[in-house]
Amino acid sequence: MSRTPEPELDRTLAAFDRVLFEASPSEADLASLDRASEHAQGERFLLYRDLVRSRLKDLVATALPRTTALLGRAAIDREVDARLSSAPPTTRFFREVVEQLFDPREPRLSHPEHPELGDLARLELAQWRAIWLEVAEPAAVDFDFAKRPVLTATMTRLELAFSVHLADRPVSQGNFHIAVYRRRDHVVETRWMNEELAAILDAWREGSEPAIEGVRTAMSRLGRAPTPELVESMSGMLAELLERGGVLGSRP
Amino acid sequence: MTESPSRPQRSPGRPKGVGLGLRHELAKELFETRPREVAWVEIHPENYVGRGGTFAAMLEEARDRYDVVTHGLTQCVGSPDPLDLAYVARLKTLLRDNRATWHSEHLAWCNLGGRFSHDLLPMPFTRASVRRAAETIRELRDRLEIEIAIENASYYGHPGEPEMSEIEFLEEVLDAADCKILLDVNNVWVNAQNHRFDPAAFLSRVPAERVVQLHVAGHFIRPDGLIIDTHAEPVCDGVYDMLDHTLHHVGDVPILLERDGNYPALAVVLDELRRLEAVRARVLEQRRLTPALEVRA
């Protein structure tokens, strides 16, 4: 049900809203808000602007710590300021604000000295989302290669051109196949795998055919035949994913 | 750990004694040690609705151990936007699962035109604001089918020309909406210091029969003297004094300590809870004895 219009009240709140989110608050808005105050130049309403923005900037910096370290906090703050002026948050859920205020595809964020920045931000956003994502996990029975596999709905697959998943090593260029998911114990797992295992995982995530057919589909897409080494590494990945909750089992 | 002989038994939906705002930063130790100082907990539903992982597990654990009270952050009763019915439906489910008997929101606004500030913004103290708040409270109560309590908010500047004082505004909203109040003692203290009024006089005018819960918290004092309602510092002596005054006025109402930043060790928080419980026990005893003394007189 829409609210009953209260024109004067709504004009006041609209001025307040502009002071919070416009790139530069207008003197007219500040003056209209500050009519009853002894504080000159709308200082108290600029305080609200600062409180709102500081809180949102802190959130983005907390959610993307390595991106913030790479770009610098001042750059993160500038980006959030720019986004707030064009697209303030439209979600009531604080955790979802991060993705609304920081988009790795934003051209303003290109950084010639750090071409890995986009990959790093995508990885950290995937990890942030996996922490809190609410999913309805499908029913699953014990894993059986003859049945369709069930993977956790918290899983995101990323293809990275920089090794940003290896936080303790110098960044290198290449093709890095990553899966991010939330484990049964709620810890977010970031798993790096080779091209063949990634293709198998993608086929399994589709969930449209039995697991063994998924392996054949993946190898067919790559134009390769399964080898004993592949079978061994796939078994290792499957055992790990089953234990941690990346693979939940098979469809009943 | 101090044994608190007056710690009440659980009574689903009707917490008693002193509680603590459930925060991720304190939850693990709280659940592991289950200190007697914490009689119940309060959650912000937005942190749990539509959320999986640790927080979903934390809520389940809290429900197993404590009475859980809800205190909303984003359905402020002064917001001009219509209710988000999808969210309200999910909130209703959460309240049912908590066996809640009331739900609180802020007498403030926080969203306009679909944009959320993620902060509590002051409403003008005007008749239009009274109408807006009362309309929202009534609709929220009807849709949630539960008693709504509104929290008096702190504010640093009044937007536009006021038509009444803060206490008059509060009284008018409570009357117009016929709702309950979550009386935030720290907010009264903060506003009294920042806007120069007598907090005790304010608290004495709050209709005691409408008060279902109290909040206390710490705040930050800027170098220029302006007090910012941070919930990130220890509760100050002035707020303890006002709590004493308030409890004399409203009686045995559940008290909640809010801590939202600069988290100390849980032991430090428990010290504050013990002090709050001591104030509560002393005032309730004084209230118990007072009628008898009057009879003897």
Side-chain angles (χ1 to χ4, degrees), chain B residues 48-236:
Chain B
Y48 300 87
V49 168
R51 184 171 194 159
T54 313
F55 276 66
M58 200 164 85
L59 179 56
E60 284 306 308
E61 205 155 355
R63 283 174 178 152
D64 285 347
R65 287 165 165 74
Y66 296 103
D67 294 326
V68 180
V69 169
T70 51
H71 179 50
L73 296 172
T74 61
Q75 193 51 71
C76 294
V77 299
S79 292
D81 288 356
L83 293 183
D84 171 354
L85 298 185
Y87 172 71
V88 170
R90 300 194 73 174
L91 175 59
K92 187 174 183 177
T93 301
L94 185 139
L95 297 178
R96 186 199 61 210
D97 293 346
N98 282 1
R99 302 172 71 182
T101 51
W102 76 78
H103 168 70
S104 62
E105 293 284 349
H106 291 88
L107 185 54
W109 70 285
C110 63
N111 57 311
L112 187 154
R115 296 184 297 280
F116 283 83
S117 64
H118 291 279
D119 211 334
L120 303 168
L121 307 170
M123 298 174 72
F125 303 148
T126 62
R127 284 167 195 85
S129 286
V130 171
R131 289 191 294 272
R132 169 69 49 75
E135 180 183 35
T136 305
I137 294 164
R138 285 193 297 265
E139 187 188 354
L140 196 57
R141 179 173 54 212
D142 290 347
R143 291 192 181 278
L144 292 175
E145 296 181 289
I146 197 169
E147 202 72 70
I148 300 296
I150 52 168
E151 179 187 329
N152 54 301
S154 58
Y155 71 103
Y156 311 117
H158 182 277
E161 292 278 5
E163 295 172 355
M164 59 189 91
S165 68
E166 184 190 356
I167 186 62
E168 289 166 338
F169 178 62
L170 182 61
E171 288 171 332
E172 290 211 12
V173 172
L174 292 170
D175 281 347
D178 189 20
C179 67
K180 303 297 184 186
I181 177 168
L182 188 176
L183 180 55
D184 191 313
V185 177
N186 177 60
N187 287 352
V188 174
W189 175 261
V190 167
N191 289 347
Q193 306 309 307
N194 285 342
H195 305 290
R196 301 186 196 96
F197 63 80
D198 176 5
F202 183 105
L203 288 163
S204 296
R205 281 182 64 175
V206 173
E209 71 281 4
R210 292 192 187 275
V211 180
V212 292
Q213 185 185 337
L214 302 177
H215 269 176
V216 291
H219 50 249
F220 173 73
I221 306 176
R222 290 199 323 191
D224 66 358
L226 184 73
I227 301 181
I228 308 295
D229 180 24
T230 54
H231 302 177
E233 288 76 23
V235 178
C236 75

Side-chain angles (χ1 to χ4, degrees), chain A residues 56 59-60 63 89-102 125 128-129 132-134, chain B residues 46 49-51 90 118:
Chain A
L56 297 171
L59 174 67
V60 172
T90 55
T91 173
R92 75 174 61 247
F93 300 115
F94 198 48
R95 58 191 178 270
E96 293 180 356
V97 167
V98 177
E99 289 172 284
Q100 294 194 344
L101 293 184
F102 195 92
L125 283 170
W128 174 255
R129 197 182 311 113
W132 51 260
L133 195 65
E134 183 186 52
Chain B
E46 291 86 348
V49 168
R51 184 171 194 159
R90 300 194 73 174
H118 291 279

Side-chain angles (χ1 to χ4, degrees), chain B residues 235-245 272 275-276 279:
Chain B
V235 178
C236 75
D237 289 345
V239 170
Y240 281 108
D241 291 343
M242 284 305 109
L243 176 66
D244 184 301
H245 179 88
E272 288 197 297
R275 188 170 170 189
L276 293 170
V279 173

Side-chain angles (χ1 to χ4, degrees), chain B residues 222-294:
Chain B
R222 290 199 323 191
D224 66 358
L226 184 73
I227 301 181
I228 308 295
D229 180 24
T230 54
H231 302 177
E233 288 76 23
V235 178
C236 75
D237 289 345
V239 170
Y240 281 108
D241 291 343
M242 284 305 109
L243 176 66
D244 184 301
H245 179 88
T246 304
L247 288 171
H248 274 288
H249 178 50
V250 303
D252 190 8
V253 169
I255 303 162
L256 185 103
L257 174 65
E258 294 183 292
R259 184 79 189 211
D260 291 315
N262 293 332
Y263 292 99
L266 183 61
V268 176
V269 175
L270 297 183
D271 283 343
E272 288 197 297
L273 293 175
R274 278 193 289 274
R275 188 170 170 189
L276 293 170
E277 174 57 31
V279 173
R280 172 180 175 270
R282 186 179 66 244
V283 174
L284 293 183
E285 181 64 6
Q286 287 170 351
R287 278 174 59 97
R288 191 179 69 81
L289 292 173
T290 300
L293 290 171
E294 285 172 354

Side-chain angles (χ1 to χ4, degrees), chain A residues 148-176:
Chain A
R148 288 183 295 160
V150 177
L151 276 66
T152 174
T154 66
M155 187 177 285
T156 302
R157 275 271 294 112
L158 297 171
E159 295 293 325
L160 304 178
F162 295 90
S163 60
V164 292
H165 55 293
L166 303 171
D168 53 351
R169 299 187 211 168
V171 173
S172 59
Q173 257 188 291
N175 296 311
F176 302 101

